[in-house]
Amino acid sequence: MSAIWIATLLSAQTAAPAALISYDETVRCAGLTQAASELEGGESAEGKALSDAALYWSLAATQAAQASNRNATVADADQNRARIRAVQQLNARDGDAKAALQRCRARTPDLG
């Protein structure tokens, strides 16, 4: 990961004020975008966009965990469980999971 990409990610996080998102919602978005990225693969434009979204939400979930004084090991386990659950839901074509994924993607800043 290049320093430019990291700088872009960090500036995207602070560029525009956004509504606060709960830790649970942030973890849900991390799980959904990670799952969708895994299922899509990274070769297509969609796969690359999902990979970027997954990285953003994973970092956001880590920051939310730190801000709420959660244990890092527990926070990692929360993300892993959310990803596993999301893989199952997306594979089952769960409409609620697909809608939640779209909401998460809409909240993902453009990382260029």
Side-chain angles (χ1 to χ4, degrees):
M1 183 178 326
S2 73
I4 294 171
W5 199 93
I6 293 171
T8 301
L9 175 65
L10 293 175
S11 67
Q13 287 181 304
T14 59
L20 290 178
I21 301 172
S22 72
Y23 171 77
D24 291 335
E25 261 187 284
T26 305
V27 168
R28 174 77 167 138
C29 283
L32 283 164
T33 54
Q34 289 168 17
S37 176
E38 288 174 22
L39 294 170
E40 177 68 27
E43 299 304 314
S44 67
E46 177 72 3
K48 290 175 184 172
L50 285 165
S51 179
D52 286 349
L55 179 58
Y56 169 79
W57 284 108
S58 180
L59 292 172
T62 298
Q63 288 181 337
Q66 290 170 344
S68 60
N69 295 316
R70 283 182 167 76
N71 178 289
T73 303
V74 172
D76 286 343
D78 288 345
Q79 275 193 64
N80 192 44
R81 278 191 300 278
R83 181 188 55 78
I84 291 167
R85 185 173 45 255
V87 166
Q88 294 166 341
Q89 292 170 330
L90 294 173
N91 273 333
R93 302 184 190 276
D94 181 293
D96 290 339
K98 290 164 99 175
L101 173 61
Q102 292 312 313
R103 285 190 300 275
C104 293
R105 292 193 67 191
R107 290 174 143 171
T108 305
D110 180 8
L111 302 176

